[in-house]
């Protein structure tokens, strides 16, 4: 409430993780107390034709939270150096250049009043198998299942190597990565909630002081 009322700074929460790592669940459980005012959540799916016609950071910059808001990225600009690398969607030299471009982009955001928290939700291959099977077994969860998830599972080691590169090249003083053990959902939620709360308390936003004297007015 104070961050929204102050309207001077923002918080960006980036959630990355392999399929079934719990990005949706994290948003639902960690941010449910925040209320809808002053919170935005953006799910980054396959780029549209328009998005592909711009630089790879264009859609992320457009979705960055305005002042006073908490913005949540469900996946993010990091897809372009994770899926992009594993699936060979761009030349290696182009992907290599993107790490520095991402760091520069995130520095621009921080220098303009946006704090950035980046969480890599790390699950084991065994846990992912159980969660994917649960999506098949439970009728209310089948809408979440995508056959391409099995294709990505076959590339597990390559995705883990791509994440290692991201953690090495893009964990900066202004936007560090937090690797969150996510096999246990309650532990994942508790860890992320604690870091988000500590960050907001450190930002310590304040309700604005009006330029007028409240005692000068009387409601009749």
């Amino acid at each position: 409430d104070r961050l929204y009322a102050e309207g001077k700074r923002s918080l960006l929460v980036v959630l990355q993780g392999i399929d079934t790592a719990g990005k949706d669940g994290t948003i639902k459980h960690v941010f449910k107390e925040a209320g809808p005012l002053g919170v935005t959540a953006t799910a980054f799916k396959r780029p549209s034709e328009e998005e592909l016609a711009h630089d790879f950071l264009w859609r992320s910059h457009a979705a960055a939270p305005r002042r006073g808001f908490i913005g949540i990225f469900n996946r993010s600009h990091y897809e372009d150096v994770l899926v992009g690398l594993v699936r060979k969607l761009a030349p290696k030299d182009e992907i290599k250049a993107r790490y520095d471009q991402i760091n520069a982009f995130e520095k621009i955001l921080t220098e303009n009043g946006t704090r950035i928290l980046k969480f890599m939700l790390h699950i084991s291959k065994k846990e992912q198998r159980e969660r994917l099977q649960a999506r098949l077994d439970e009728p209310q969860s089948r809408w979440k299942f995508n056959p391409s998830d099995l294709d990505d599972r076959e590339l597990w080691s390559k995705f883990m190597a791509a994440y290692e590169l991201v953690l090495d090249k893009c964990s900066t003083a202004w936007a560090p990565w937090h690797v969150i053990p996510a096999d246990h959902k309650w532990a994942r939620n508790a860890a992320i909630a604690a870091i988000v709360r500590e960050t907001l308390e450190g930002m310590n936003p304040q309700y604005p002081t009006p330029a007028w004297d409240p005692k000068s007015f009387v409601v009749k």
Side-chain angles (χ1 to χ4, degrees):
D1 287 343
R2 282 157 47 195
L3 183 72
Y4 182 69
E6 183 188 69
K8 294 181 178 179
R9 294 169 291 169
S10 58
L11 175 65
L12 172 60
V13 177
V14 175
L15 300 175
Q16 282 289 156
I18 204 158
D19 297 316
T20 76
K23 298 176 288 294
D24 291 348
T26 297
I27 294 171
K28 182 184 296 182
H29 291 284
V30 172
F31 296 94
K32 64 182 179 181
E33 301 298 334
L37 266 183
V39 179
T40 61
T42 304
F44 286 84
K45 300 183 183 297
R46 185 186 300 273
S48 67
E49 186 175 331
E50 180 180 9
E51 289 166 343
L52 288 171
H54 292 81
D55 67 271
F56 79 99
L57 288 167
W58 180 76
R59 63 176 182 165
S60 296
H61 209 156
R66 59 186 288 182
R67 291 183 177 91
F69 277 67
I70 296 173
I72 307 161
F73 283 4
N74 183 341
R75 301 186 187 271
S76 67
H77 41 290
Y78 283 98
E79 292 293 289
D80 294 278
V81 290
L82 291 167
V83 179
L85 178 63
V86 173
R87 292 289 186 182
K88 300 178 181 179
L89 301 179
K92 283 188 176 180
D93 288 346
E94 184 175 327
I95 293 202
K96 184 178 179 181
R98 288 177 180 177
Y99 298 109
D100 287 337
Q101 292 166 359
I102 286 172
N103 290 339
F105 165 65
E106 291 175 350
K107 193 166 189 180
I108 288 172
L109 293 183
T110 59
E111 289 178 347
N112 284 274
T114 299
R115 286 289 301 273
I116 301 175
L117 292 175
K118 301 185 297 192
F119 298 104
M120 187 275 194
L121 310 184
H122 182 60
I123 62 171
S124 64
K125 193 174 184 180
K126 176 178 178 293
E127 179 65 19
Q128 190 201 45
R129 182 190 66 77
E130 293 176 1
R131 293 183 185 183
L132 286 172
Q133 188 61 51
R135 288 182 178 181
L136 287 171
D137 294 342
E138 299 168 9
Q140 70 273 21
S141 297
R142 285 175 187 156
W143 67 273
K144 296 181 181 179
F145 184 81
N146 189 327
S148 67
D149 294 344
L150 299 181
D151 296 333
D152 285 348
R153 183 170 166 80
E154 293 296 321
L155 299 170
W156 182 276
S157 60
K158 291 185 177 181
F159 272 106
M160 292 302 106
Y163 269 104
E164 288 285 349
L165 276 173
V166 161
L167 296 173
D168 178 58
K169 295 181 178 296
C170 296
S171 191
T172 59
W174 54 90
W177 275 102
H178 301 270
V179 179
I180 305 296
D183 275 7
H184 299 289
K185 297 176 183 180
W186 66 267
R188 174 202 71 204
N189 295 339
I192 293 175
I195 295 170
V196 171
R197 176 172 177 164
E198 181 181 12
T199 299
L200 287 169
E201 288 176 343
M203 293 172 69
N204 193 27
Q206 299 295 314
Y207 290 114
T209 301
W212 36 266
D213 183 0
K215 294 180 181 179
S216 299
F217 298 90
V218 176
V219 180
K220 297 181 180 181

